[in-house]
Amino acid sequence: MPGGLSPARRGTMTEHGPELDYRFTLANERTLLAWVRTSLGLLAAGVAVVHLAPDFGPPAVRHVLGSVLAGLGAVVAVTSTMRWRVVQVAMRRGEALPPAWAPLVVTGALAVLSLLVLVLLLVGGPT
């Protein structure tokens, strides 16, 4: 690259390095917003399990499941914002992007919760 800058970086300087091509900044922002939507979906699922599914297992199980879903939604909201910032700074500095562990954690947590729900549906039945 002429001048040593990657295609994502432009000439104007900021406190973290050269200004990015707006397309990369907007792509990073869209990724953040997708994670925020996932967080809202998890929160809505938690509320729905507790308040809209009274026949789904004992109340204590519903509350635990709803709390785990809402908690996972909060974790996703916080970590996605932190990830957005880290990626933005890395792009400005021309560094490699850090590994993404959040998709693995969220997928694993949802797989475990799905198995729990499956067990409740097969074994528990309506109360």
Side-chain angles (χ1 to χ4, degrees):
M1 288 270 95
L5 294 179
S6 72
R9 299 170 69 182
R10 303 174 80 155
T12 307
M13 294 299 287
T14 68
E15 70 177 276
H16 296 291
E19 183 63 45
L20 296 175
D21 184 320
Y22 67 90
R23 293 171 293 180
F24 293 93
T25 299
L26 293 174
N28 192 28
E29 185 177 307
R30 283 190 303 274
T31 302
L32 168 64
L33 294 174
W35 279 107
V36 169
R37 285 190 301 273
T38 300
S39 175
L40 287 170
L42 290 166
L43 177 60
V47 170
V49 165
V50 173
H51 294 289
L52 301 177
D55 293 335
F56 182 71
V61 172
R62 284 196 328 271
H63 284 276
V64 168
L65 183 58
S67 297
V68 170
L69 285 166
L72 185 58
V75 168
V76 167
V78 170
T79 58
S80 63
T81 303
M82 292 171 19
R83 167 87 180 165
W84 169 81
R85 180 77 174 142
V86 167
V87 166
Q88 199 70 14
V89 170
M91 287 191 304
R92 287 186 190 281
R93 292 181 178 166
E95 300 170 352
L97 298 181
W101 54 268
L104 295 174
V105 171
V106 171
T107 302
L110 289 176
V112 169
L113 288 171
S114 297
L115 289 174
L116 174 63
V117 168
L118 182 62
V119 168
L120 287 172
L121 290 172
L122 293 175
V123 175
T127 56

